[in-house]
Amino acid sequence: HAFKELNSGIREKILSRAALAARNLLELRYWTMFAAASEENIWRIRKDALVDGRDMLDRFRTACQTNAELAPALPYLHQFQDWFEDQCRKSGESADGPYLRVTNLAQQFGLSDEHRTMSSFLSKLIHPTGLTICMPGTSDVSFPQLYAAGCWYFNDSFQRLNETLKGLNLPHLE
């Protein structure tokens, strides 16, 4: 999906979409590296999905409680939260604990500098900043670099995933 968004952002000349897709590909690279490191990490990512789900529900509930215009969503939110907790119980999984941070994944692989600089750079292009508001022509120069970076991150992730799958000795499908 992120690669399709990168292509779409480049083709339609929508800088924020292309930059967000490039950042997503950068972060997917770290997730792929983490998953490829061990089977335990793969299970940890699964748990992280639950932790993220719980965190999102908690944050949205807080927003609904502090903003009267969002308060009508609370009954639906409670209903969804009950369903979510029921699913966790049924699966024997817990949504408790901290979630994984991409910053920590990058650090684990010695890529903190890359993550910090590229994430900051791409954020400048994703969010309205003085640069994108006052100098819209900047985007014309940025598209080729965004595409090149996004393609590299996608290719690197694909290669790592491919090597991991080769090591699993899965049966060939016919």
Side-chain angles (χ1 to χ4, degrees):
H1 180 73
F3 194 71
K4 286 171 93 174
E5 284 295 302
L6 176 66
N7 280 323
S8 170
I10 298 294
R11 185 179 56 255
E12 297 174 28
K13 297 215 177 279
I14 302 172
L15 182 61
S16 59
R17 181 186 300 164
L20 180 59
R23 190 174 74 184
N24 287 345
L25 289 164
L26 170 70
E27 293 182 359
L28 283 169
R29 177 174 173 245
Y30 303 133
W31 285 107
T32 303
M33 292 171 76
F34 182 72
S38 74
E39 186 176 335
E40 180 181 321
N41 286 358
I42 293 169
W43 285 104
R44 180 58 182 95
I45 291 171
R46 178 184 161 102
K47 178 177 175 59
D48 203 58
L50 298 175
V51 173
D52 273 346
R54 186 214 61 224
D55 184 57
M56 290 174 61
L57 288 169
D58 290 347
R59 290 175 189 268
F60 191 54
R61 183 179 57 255
T62 299
C64 290
Q65 291 168 340
T66 58
N67 183 335
E69 292 178 13
L70 296 176
L74 275 170
Y76 302 104
L77 182 61
H78 289 302
Q79 187 178 21
F80 184 75
Q81 190 152 13
D82 290 343
W83 174 85
F84 178 79
E85 290 170 6
D86 186 53
Q87 295 302 307
C88 288
R89 271 191 303 279
K90 285 180 180 176
S91 69
E93 298 281 343
S94 170
D96 295 332
Y99 54 87
L100 296 171
R101 295 184 180 277
V102 173
T103 301
N104 295 342
L105 297 180
Q107 181 180 21
Q108 182 178 339
F109 295 104
L111 299 169
S112 291
D113 289 341
E114 174 193 65
H115 178 260
R116 185 176 37 260
T117 55
M118 288 304 295
S119 189
S120 178
F121 167 73
L122 293 168
S123 289
K124 293 277 186 203
L125 302 175
I126 294 168
H127 308 291
T129 63
L131 177 69
T132 57
I133 292 169
C134 296
M135 299 175 68
T138 303
S139 63
D140 295 336
V141 176
S142 303
F143 284 113
Q145 286 83 2
L146 286 176
Y147 191 70
C151 287
W152 189 87
Y153 296 137
F154 175 79
N155 187 56
D156 185 65
S157 296
F158 182 81
Q159 293 296 333
R160 289 173 191 276
L161 185 59
N162 191 38
E163 289 303 312
T164 299
L165 291 174
K166 283 181 187 176
L168 296 177
N169 295 319
L170 297 172
H172 293 284
L173 298 176
E174 295 183 33

